[in-house]
Amino acid sequence: MNIKNNKIILKKRPIGFPKLDDFEKASETITNLNYGEIIIKVIWLSLDPYMRGRMSEAKSYTTPIKIGDVITGGAVGKVVSSKCPNFKEGDIVEGFTLGWQEYAKVNSKMVRKIDPSLAPIQTAVGVLGMPGMTAYFGLFEICKPVPGDNLVVSAASGAVGQLVGQLAKIAGCNVTGIAGSDEKCQYLKETLNFDNVINYQKDNVFKKIKEYCPEGVNVYFDNVGGKIADDVISNIAPFGRIGVCGVISQYNLTEMETGMRVQRAVLTNQASVEGFLVFRFEQKYSIARKRMANWLNQKKLIWKEDIVLGLEKAPESFIGLMKGKNFGKLLIKLDS
Ligand SMILES: NC(=O)c1ccc[n+]([C@@H]2O[C@H](COP(=O)([O-])OP(=O)(O)OC[C@H]3O[C@@H](n4cnc5c(N)ncnc54)[C@H](OP(=O)(O)O)[C@@H]3O)[C@@H](O)[C@H]2O)c1
């Protein structure tokens, strides 16, 4: 069997914000399926901020993509050929390393079969996948909300943030979301019922947090780091919990930033700061997935996706993600 595969590879390592010419189209012919391998026709690509780290050589928790290699990332697809007894043609699978290509030939250990009756299949890389698990475990296991807590979440309209705010509402918190446009803020308030919203592009975050949380912030779910984090943490309440999930404001810096010193606020309020990587909770994903699917089906959770059509749009969409152009979970739908 010969399958022509079109893909997008890393041409050179981005410096600062990625640019279109850091990426390149390429093609290959896929042949020779070995025992244990399957070929997947990719249907949905998940574009996630952590992928920026994989494009650089800097030490991180993921291995860098080599120059000339396909851009790896989460994806959902259909098995079109299998030499593994556990997978048959037509099975829908999700994998973390399938990447920006039309077909992926992988060892079947690299994917998991998904149940298409649970929810639309692309939710396997969204609310029922890595971002959903991040919101669930980051909130409940790291931030430990209690009813009445003032909770603040940044990148609040994104894949993780939109869920953190809604889960925190289910947990009885008073939720403040920080996002980068009036449109996003309006959505958080009117559709997702967040209590307060802050547009960090035009509001003074420090002052607004003081106004919305006069007794302090009990929980800060940090998706962005940088100045926004400084402004929130400076308002931390006694025994506040800060879950450091991501620092997207830092991913494209070419020089380190200096900012406000927040240690005094952490010390005097006896606050705790904990960073986490979602994979820590892998053993418990199935429990969280069931709970999230129930809330989704009961319409207690609303899930917003930002869908872009065509593999060739992946580079510009990814660049847009780094600049806040996405509104909701960013997905690429491949031509079928
Ligand atoms: N720890 C883990 O295991 C784990 C797992 C998944 C994700 N994460 C992290 O969680 C964070 C959110 O991920 P996501 O998948 O939900 O992404 P996302 O929110 O869908 O997209 C990123 C959003 O971040 C905001 N942003 C970009 N640059 C910013 C800046 N300089 N300052 C403030 N906000 C900025 C933009 O929205 P605005 O328009 O609001 O600026 C953008 O839409 C990322 O930092 C990611 O790396 C961590």
Side-chain angles (χ1 to χ4, degrees):
M1 175 209 284
N2 283 350
I3 295 179
K4 186 180 177 226
N5 181 34
N6 293 312
K7 56 185 182 175
I8 295 173
I9 60 172
L10 186 65
K11 187 171 151 202
K12 50 188 166 65
R13 301 209 179 278
I15 298 168
F17 281 93
K19 293 174 241 6
L20 283 179
D21 69 358
D22 295 329
F23 306 94
E24 191 168 43
K25 287 185 198 163
S27 61
E28 64 186 357
T29 303
I30 296 180
T31 54
N32 296 335
L33 205 53
N34 293 317
Y35 186 78
E37 288 181 334
I38 56 179
I39 298 176
I40 298 151
K41 183 171 176 18
V42 178
I43 305 172
W44 294 95
L45 298 181
S46 173
L47 268 48
D48 298 279
Y50 79 88
M51 297 167 76
R52 175 65 185 87
R54 301 202 71 188
M55 292 170 195
S56 77
E57 261 173 334
K59 184 176 174 288
S60 170
Y61 59 92
T62 50
T63 44
I65 301 168
K66 291 194 193 113
I67 301 295
D69 275 2
V70 70
I71 306 292
T72 47
V76 176
K78 189 195 276 190
V79 175
V80 290
S81 185
S82 172
K83 274 207 177 170
C84 171
N86 298 333
F87 290 85
K88 59 179 190 321
E89 282 178 31
D91 281 346
I92 302 291
V93 296
E94 176 250 335
F96 200 57
T97 55
L98 300 183
W100 293 4
Q101 53 188 341
E102 291 172 346
Y103 292 91
K105 181 172 89 165
V106 292
N107 189 297
S108 61
K109 287 186 189 142
M110 302 302 290
V111 300
R112 86 181 159 94
K113 222 182 275 189
I114 62 169
D115 176 2
S117 69
L118 209 56
I121 60 171
Q122 71 274 20
T123 58
V125 287
V127 55
L128 303 183
M130 190 274 285
M133 299 301 102
T134 305
Y136 183 96
F137 290 106
L139 180 67
F140 292 125
E141 302 249 355
I142 305 289
C143 295
K144 299 187 173 68
V146 287
D149 270 352
N150 284 316
L151 177 141
V152 177
V153 56
S154 47
S157 70
V160 175
Q162 59 172 307
L163 294 171
V164 169
Q166 294 182 79
L167 292 173
K169 288 296 297 176
I170 292 172
C173 299
N174 178 61
V175 173
T176 299
I178 305 177
S181 74
D182 284 342
E183 191 194 4
K184 289 178 178 180
C185 286
Q186 190 181 357
Y187 175 79
L188 295 173
K189 186 129 197 197
E190 290 175 8
T191 308
L192 302 190
N193 295 317
F194 284 27
D195 300 283
N196 309 296
V197 284
I198 300 172
N199 176 350
Y200 74 89
Q201 296 284 7
K202 59 180 208 192
D203 294 332
N204 179 319
V205 176
F206 182 86
K207 283 190 185 155
K208 283 281 175 193
I209 294 284
K210 259 208 168 350
E211 180 187 331
Y212 295 143
C213 310
E215 284 160 24
V217 174
N218 305 102
V219 172
Y220 176 43
F221 194 108
D222 188 10
N223 280 320
V224 303
K227 182 167 184 325
I228 293 174
D230 290 347
D231 286 345
V232 180
I233 296 171
S234 307
N235 283 297
I236 200 74
F239 301 100
R241 282 88 64 208
I242 300 152
V244 181
C245 173
V247 289
I248 194 168
S249 72
Q250 313 292 293
Y251 294 165
N252 297 294
L253 295 182
T254 49
E255 278 177 33
M256 276 302 126
E257 268 183 348
T258 50
M260 201 189 278
R261 304 286 189 258
V262 294
Q263 289 84 347
R264 190 186 172 96
V266 171
L267 169 70
T268 54
N269 290 292
Q270 302 186 68
S272 51
V273 184
E274 185 170 358
F276 70 95
L277 298 174
V278 65
F279 313 107
R280 194 204 293 191
F281 304 103
E282 210 161 354
Q283 301 304 321
K284 299 197 253 183
Y285 279 3
S286 58
I287 304 166
R289 227 176 245 129
K290 272 190 201 135
R291 294 193 82 192
M292 297 287 271
N294 279 340
W295 282 322
L296 206 58
N297 290 330
Q298 292 163 5
K299 310 246 180 300
K300 288 188 179 160
L301 276 183
I302 294 172
W303 175 236
K304 184 167 178 56
E305 297 173 335
D306 184 340
I307 297 172
V308 178
L309 298 180
L311 176 66
E312 68 286 355
K313 292 281 170 52
E316 68 177 83
S317 303
F318 183 74
I319 296 166
L321 174 81
M322 291 289 139
K323 296 180 174 170
K325 292 209 174 126
N326 64 307
F327 187 179
K329 168 67 200 155
L330 184 57
L331 294 160
I332 303 284
K333 173 122 172 41
L334 268 63
D335 309 324
S336 40

